[in-house]
Amino acid sequence: MVAATGNADTTVGHGELIKAVDRALTTHGRALLTGPAGAGKTELVRALTEAAALRYETVLRLAPEPADRWIPEASAAALLASVPAAALERLSGPQRTAIALLRRETDAPRAGRDHVALRLAVVEVLRTLAARGPVLLALDNAQWLDAESTDLLRFALRLTPPRVRVLAAECVLGGAPLAEPLCGPGTPHIRVPPLGTDEVAELLVRRGLPARLAGRIHQASGGNPRLALALGHSLAEAAGARDGGAHHADPLPVSGQAREVARRLLGVLPAQARRTLLLAALAARPTTAMLRRAGRPDAEAELALAERAALVTVEEDGAVRFTAGALPTALAADAGWPERAAGHAALAAAVDDPVQAVRHRALAVDTPDRELAAEITEAAAACRRRGQRALAAELGLLAADRTPWHLPGEELARLVGAAEDAGWAGRADLARRAARAVLARDASPADRVRARLAVIDAAGQALGALDETFAHAAADAEGEPALQAAVRLRTAWKHNLSDGDPVRSRDAAAEAGVLAAAGGGRGAGARGRS
C-alpha cells in the first residue's frame, strides 16, 4: 500500500485537467501548474511526462528540494547531469568545459569560469535535443529553483526552438509564481482544483481505505488528495485499534500521517501568520475584526497570505473559514498549553457572544473554580434553549471539569446533563466521554442508566455494537419501571434498525408502553427514529 504522505492517483478527478495541460503545451509550448502542497501536481507532471515518453519525446525532468534553493546552480547542474552524453558532442571546447565545471567534473581554471560559455552551452544542448525530436522540460517544485539556475534557464529557453516545450509545477507561496518569468509572458496558468466528495471516495477505494466516511474526509481535507489519504489511513488505524468502525459523528483523527501533512501545509506561512491562524482555530466563528480585537493588528495581511496558500477563505463580511477541517485541529494540537491559554484569554475579551466569552474564559485556565463552573453551566443551559445541544454538551463537560473536588454532586449532575445533550446532538464521542466519567463515579442506578441511554441515543442507527451497553442499562434499570421503559424503547429501535426484526421490535415497544404506564409515564424519553 502506498503511504498516505505520497501523492494521489492522477486519474482520480484530473482527467480533464491533463487534457487542458496538453492543449496548453500544444498551443503555447508552455504551461504552469499551480496549487497547494498535496494537490497532486507532482503526479500530474509524472502522468504528462510518461505520456510524452510513450510518444518518443525526449523528457528532461527536474524536481528540486527546498535546500536546493540556497545552493547556486544546483538545479542547473542536476538537469545537465541527466542530459544524454550524445547531446554534448557538438559543443565547442569552452562550452564543454563550462558544462564540466558546472557538473563538478573538473577543477575551475585560474582565469575563472566563463559564464557566457555556460549559457550558450545550455542553449546548444537544448537545440541538439530538439533537432532529434520534440523535447519536454518538466520542472516540478519550481518554487525551489535557485536564482542562478532560474536565470540560466530563462536565458536558454528564450533561444530554443518551439519543439522545446516547458511544463512547470509550483506551489505558489505568495505573489506571482516564481516560474512565470522562466516560462515567459502569456504562459497559461492552470490551477489544480481540490477533489470533490465523489472523487475523494474513489481515491480512498483505490488505496484500499474506508470510504464510508468520504464526506467527512472531504470536509476535513478540503479535497486535498494527500491530506485525504492521510486522514483515511489515520481513520483506518484508529478503527483497527478500537476493533470496530468509526461512528459517523466521531471527530476524524488528525494524528500520525494526517497531522504531519497538515503541518507541511501550514509550514509555508511565516510564524506571525500561523499565530493569527491559531486564534482563528480556537474561535468558534472567527472574523478579521475579532482577530484584530484579540491582539492581531495585521490580521488582514496575514490572512491574505493564508488565503493565497489555499489554507483559508475570507468572506466579504470578514468571516474566516479554513479550507480543510483538519487544519484548525492540527494548529491547536501543535500549540503548547501556554499559547492556547493566552489565545483563549485574548478571545474571551474579543468575542461578542456571552456564551463564547464564558467558554474561552474557561479554556484559558485549568484549575477548579466553583463560580466559573456555575457560569459555564448557565451558558450550557442557554445553548440548550437555543437548540445548540452539541455545544451544550461540550460546555457541560467543561463545567464538570472546572467543578471543585469537594462538590461531587454538582460535578455528577453536570456530567449526566452533558451526556444527555450529546445524545440529543448525536455526538457519540462526547456521549461516550461523559458516560465514562459518570460510570467512574459513585453514581446512582438512575444516573448510570441516563448516561448509557445517551450513548445509545448518540449512536443513531449504528446500534449493532452496543449490546453490552444495552445489557448494563437493563441491569441498572431493574425495579424501576420508568427506567425499564426507556431501555426497552431503545431495544425496540435496535431490533428494528440493526437486527432487522420488526416482530421483536413491536413486542419490545409494547412492553415499553406497559412499563411507562406503570412508572407514571415518566422516563421513556421517546425520540423519533427512521
Side-chain angles (χ1 to χ4, degrees), residues 246-262:
H247 187 270
H248 68 88
D250 283 349
L252 294 180
V254 184
S255 58
Q257 297 174 3
R259 192 161 165 183
E260 183 58 33
V261 172

Side-chain angles (χ1 to χ4, degrees), residues 263-523:
R263 279 196 193 110
R264 291 181 186 178
L265 293 174
L266 294 162
V268 302
L269 295 179
Q272 290 298 322
R274 289 199 301 273
R275 291 191 184 99
T276 295
L277 284 194
L278 173 61
L279 282 186
L282 297 177
R285 293 180 297 277
T287 65
T288 52
M290 177 196 298
L291 295 173
R292 284 197 308 272
R293 292 196 300 268
R296 305 305 301 171
D298 298 323
E300 280 91 348
E302 289 160 353
L303 289 170
L305 284 176
E307 194 166 25
R308 283 198 291 271
L311 298 172
V312 300
T313 59
V314 181
E315 307 295 336
E316 290 185 5
D317 61 357
V320 180
R321 293 181 177 84
F322 285 89
T323 55
L327 296 177
T329 303
L331 278 163
D334 281 347
W337 158 251
E339 193 174 5
R340 288 197 306 273
H344 283 300
L347 288 167
V351 296
D352 53 12
D353 180 356
V355 168
Q356 288 299 326
V358 171
R359 171 178 167 268
H360 286 299
R361 283 174 48 218
L363 290 169
V365 297
D366 61 353
T367 54
D369 184 320
R370 184 174 188 176
E371 291 184 5
L372 180 58
E375 286 188 66
I376 304 169
T377 302
E378 285 299 318
C383 290
R384 205 171 293 121
R385 290 191 295 271
R386 297 176 185 177
Q388 298 173 328
R389 299 301 282 262
L391 182 54
E394 293 179 22
L395 291 171
L397 284 165
L398 191 56
D401 191 58
R402 298 296 181 269
T403 304
W405 65 269
H406 63 276
L407 299 171
E410 292 183 17
E411 180 194 39
L412 183 61
R414 287 160 180 160
L415 288 171
V416 173
E420 291 185 324
D421 284 326
W424 275 101
R427 284 293 300 273
D429 58 321
L430 297 178
R432 288 195 300 266
R433 180 178 155 197
R436 282 195 299 268
V438 170
L439 298 174
R441 286 155 176 78
D442 186 18
S444 68
D447 283 338
R448 292 200 299 271
V449 171
R450 290 169 65 189
R452 288 188 165 111
L453 292 181
V455 172
I456 293 170
D457 291 343
Q461 298 186 12
L463 300 172
L466 296 178
D467 288 341
E468 188 175 342
T469 303
F470 276 99
H472 284 300
D476 283 332
E478 193 67 35
E480 292 290 338
L483 295 177
Q484 288 178 303
V487 175
R488 292 304 291 164
L489 180 60
R490 272 74 173 184
T491 303
W493 298 341
K494 178 179 180 296
H495 288 325
N496 190 44
L497 296 172
S498 297
D499 303 339
D501 193 336
V503 175
R504 292 179 68 195
S505 176
R506 178 199 62 197
D507 294 343
E511 186 179 349
V514 172
L515 288 165
R522 297 176 291 105

Side-chain angles (χ1 to χ4, degrees), residues 79-94:
L79 179 66
L80 289 169
S82 66
V83 170
L88 307 177
E89 293 174 353
R90 294 179 55 186
L91 295 178
S92 65

Side-chain angles (χ1 to χ4, degrees), residues 89-276:
E89 293 174 353
R90 294 179 55 186
L91 295 178
S92 65
Q95 291 176 357
R96 280 200 301 271
T97 300
I99 295 289
L101 284 168
L102 181 66
R103 290 164 36 164
R104 303 301 191 267
E105 295 172 347
T106 186
D107 295 329
R110 290 183 179 181
R113 296 175 56 190
D114 188 340
H115 294 284
V116 173
L118 177 60
R119 289 184 171 220
L120 295 175
V122 175
V123 173
E124 189 61 33
V125 166
L126 293 175
R127 286 175 173 172
T128 299
L129 292 173
R132 301 172 182 176
V135 176
L136 177 61
L137 174 57
L139 304 173
D140 195 11
N141 293 331
Q143 72 273 13
W144 303 129
L145 283 170
D146 60 274
E148 291 79 6
S149 295
T150 301
D151 185 55
L152 180 60
L153 289 172
R154 180 172 57 240
F155 173 86
L157 292 172
R158 287 204 309 264
L159 302 177
T160 52
R163 297 186 90 179
V164 177
R165 300 179 300 158
V166 181
L167 169 62
E170 179 175 343
C171 179
V172 180
L173 305 181
L178 297 177
E180 190 174 55
L182 186 149
C183 293
T187 297
H189 289 210
I190 302 170
R191 184 165 181 82
V192 181
L195 299 181
T197 304
D198 291 343
E199 292 161 346
V200 167
E202 183 181 351
L203 179 64
L204 295 170
V205 169
R206 289 194 181 193
R207 297 300 181 90
L209 294 169
R212 183 173 63 89
L213 300 180
R216 299 275 313 284
I217 292 175
H218 176 263
Q219 184 277 330
S221 67
N224 183 292
R226 187 181 299 170
L227 185 52
L229 286 173
L231 287 164
H233 275 276
S234 294
L235 186 62
E237 290 166 3
R242 285 200 303 265
D243 194 25
H247 187 270
H248 68 88
D250 283 349
L252 294 180
V254 184
S255 58
Q257 297 174 3
R259 192 161 165 183
E260 183 58 33
V261 172
R263 279 196 193 110
R264 291 181 186 178
L265 293 174
L266 294 162
V268 302
L269 295 179
Q272 290 298 322
R274 289 199 301 273
R275 291 191 184 99
T276 295

